[in-house]
């Protein structure tokens, strides 16, 4: 097995092969991003001894730090994610760029894109991360990058106005400092968590609020510091195995589900079929918008008694209403398709199953294969009549709305 320090020729070969794949699949679309990702040696920014096959796997992040509890706190993002986020950011020579969430690798790409006339500042709250980033950037010829240890929820001293703010950690909210330090014609790219779903969103300022230009499915280690946010976990009473996860507060009182698992499980098949590899990002967002009690469900398989039977025990799209909860499942439908179904438990299980089925069928008719919803970010003091959108999510520093583009 070849590691990241043993063969520069093999590293170059694997890097070019990876970039070819990302370009051919449409994750990299511009010659500028392609050029910098071919130029910067990714193996020099990953931990020593990391196998080249792992370094240049298009879909895999490389962990660089974990907490004492084994939780990932810093990583070099997957090349596929780095590629499409750089495309979203539209970085040009001479620009001023702020990167939030450091590590060195992405800052090197940004330094190449802005050129000698531009500037890059990379910020992280963890001094171990910034120390590592500063060392790696200097060793690889990128000492023009300014490395700052700070909580990026606050304004960054000496930055001025940024043409691009690129966030490389998962954010639940948009701190005011980000919009205050963004050039009025600038670009904010951030992995934003909404109702438990994370999208890398490219925002521009529009009449006092942020409005999305594109959104890509992604996953990131969560932000630390003042804007850190923990999801709420509801363990369904009567079982130790079923956990419902809510990102923006519980829509019901926890005790309402106390007797849900004592009722027979309703199983409904919807007639909605999809290809096994068909993207379902719009389905996830459709349910998040239309179902007031939207959440995700996980199952502790070691404690499973069979009360629920999810297709994916770690992550199922789900919803709650009053004294009932429901989740989506799939079953084979021919050689290459699967059919969606709904399992529901509780006194009003059939009603909730019907609502979830109707929403799923609406997606198949109205949203499937179409554009992503428009995401708008308003100040926290914005009134309802100032906000356009089908679903409004209240955060600490902002109000975020989701709505579908006009047909």
């Amino acid at each position: 097995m070849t590691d990241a320090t043993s063969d520069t020729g093999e590293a170059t070969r694997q890097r070019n092969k990876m970039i070819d794949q990302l370009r051919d699949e449409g994750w990299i679309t511009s010659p500028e991003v392609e050029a910098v990702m071919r130029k910067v040696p990714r193996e020099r920014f990953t931990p020593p001894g990391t196998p080249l096959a792992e370094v240049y796997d298009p879909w895999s992040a490389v962990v660089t730090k974990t907490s004492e509890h084994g939780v990932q706190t810093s990583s070099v993002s997957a090349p596929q994610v780095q590629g499409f986020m750089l495309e979203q950011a539209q970085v040009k020579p001479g620009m001023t760029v702020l990167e939030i969430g450091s590590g060195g690798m992405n800052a090197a790409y940004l330094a190449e894109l802005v050129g000698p006339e531009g500037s890059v500042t990379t910020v992280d709250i963890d001094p171990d991360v910034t120390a590592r980033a500063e060392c790696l950037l200097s060793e690889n010829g990128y000492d023009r990058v300014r490395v700052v240890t700070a909580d990026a929820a606050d304004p960054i001293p000496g930055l001025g106005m940024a043409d691009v703010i690129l966030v490389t950690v998962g954010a639940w909210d948009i701190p005011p400092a980000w919009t205050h330090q963004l050039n009025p014609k600038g670009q904010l790219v951030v992995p934003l968590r909404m109702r438990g779903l994370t999208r890398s969103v490219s925002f521009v300022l529009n009449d006092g609020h942020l409005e999305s230009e594109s959104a890509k499915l992604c996953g990131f280690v969560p932000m630390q510091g003042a804007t850190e946010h923990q999801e709420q976990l509801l363990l369904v009473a009567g079982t130790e195995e079923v956990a419902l996860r809510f990102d923006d507060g519980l829509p019901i009182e926890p005790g309402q589900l106390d007797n849900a698992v004592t009722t027979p499980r309703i199983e409904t098949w919807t007639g909605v079929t999809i290809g096994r590899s068909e993207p379902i990002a719009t389905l996830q967002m459709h349910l998040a918008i239309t179902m007031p009690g939207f959440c995700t469900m996980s199952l502790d398989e070691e404690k499973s008694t069979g009360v629920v039977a999810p297709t994916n025990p770690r992550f199922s799209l789900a919803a709650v209403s009053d004294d009932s909860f429901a989740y989506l499942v799939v079953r084979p439908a021919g050689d290459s398709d699967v059919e969606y179904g709904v399992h529901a438990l509780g006194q009003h299980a059939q009603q909730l199953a019907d609502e979830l089925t109707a929403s799923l069928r609406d997606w198949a008719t109205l949203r499937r294969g179409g554009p992503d919803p428009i995401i708008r970010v308003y100040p926290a003091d914005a009134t309802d009549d100032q906000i356009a959108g089908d679903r409004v999510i209240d955060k600490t520093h902002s109000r975020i709305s989701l709505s579908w583009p006009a047909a």
Side-chain angles (χ1 to χ4, degrees), residues 4 56 88 155 186 203 225 233 240 305 309 312 324 356 371 373:
Y56 287 109
Q88 286 182 304
F203 286 111
L233 190 66
E240 297 181 349
T305 61
N312 181 351
S324 304
L356 201 50

Side-chain angles (χ1 to χ4, degrees), residues 126-208:
D126 188 333
D128 291 339
V129 172
T130 51
R132 179 179 182 274
E134 191 163 27
C135 180
L136 290 172
L137 287 164
S138 178
E139 287 177 354
N140 289 283
Y142 297 100
D143 46 12
R144 290 187 299 107
V145 174
R146 179 184 174 218
V147 182
V148 177
T149 304
D151 188 337
D154 300 320
I156 306 304
L159 176 68
M161 300 295 284
D163 300 301
V164 171
I165 298 177
L166 179 60
V167 184
T168 59
V169 286
W172 179 77
D173 201 357
I174 305 292
W178 296 359
T179 51
H180 292 165
Q181 292 197 286
L182 182 65
N183 184 311
K185 295 184 179 181
Q187 208 91 18
L188 168 64
V189 179
V190 53
L192 185 61
R193 206 165 83 231
M194 301 157 290
R195 309 207 79 193
L197 305 174
T198 301
R199 300 291 185 271
S200 174
V201 187
S202 176
F203 286 111
V204 293
L205 287 165
N206 181 10
D207 194 24

Side-chain angles (χ1 to χ4, degrees), residues 265 267-269 274 276 280 297-299 301 308-317 327-332 337-343:
R265 186 171 74 212
E267 298 186 2
T268 300
W269 293 99
I274 66 167
R276 293 178 187 272
I280 61 167
M297 186 187 81
S298 61
L299 169 68
E301 293 183 273
V308 296
T311 307
N312 181 351
R314 292 175 295 176
F315 182 89
S316 299
L317 300 175
Y327 57 95
L328 295 190
V329 293
V330 295
R331 67 180 179 184
D337 291 351
V338 294
E339 179 187 4
Y340 274 110
V342 178
H343 289 182

Side-chain angles (χ1 to χ4, degrees), residues 275-291:
R276 293 178 187 272
S277 59
E278 182 177 339
I280 61 167
T282 56
L283 170 59
Q284 294 176 343
M285 294 301 290
H286 176 77
L287 295 178
I289 292 171
T290 59
M291 299 299 295

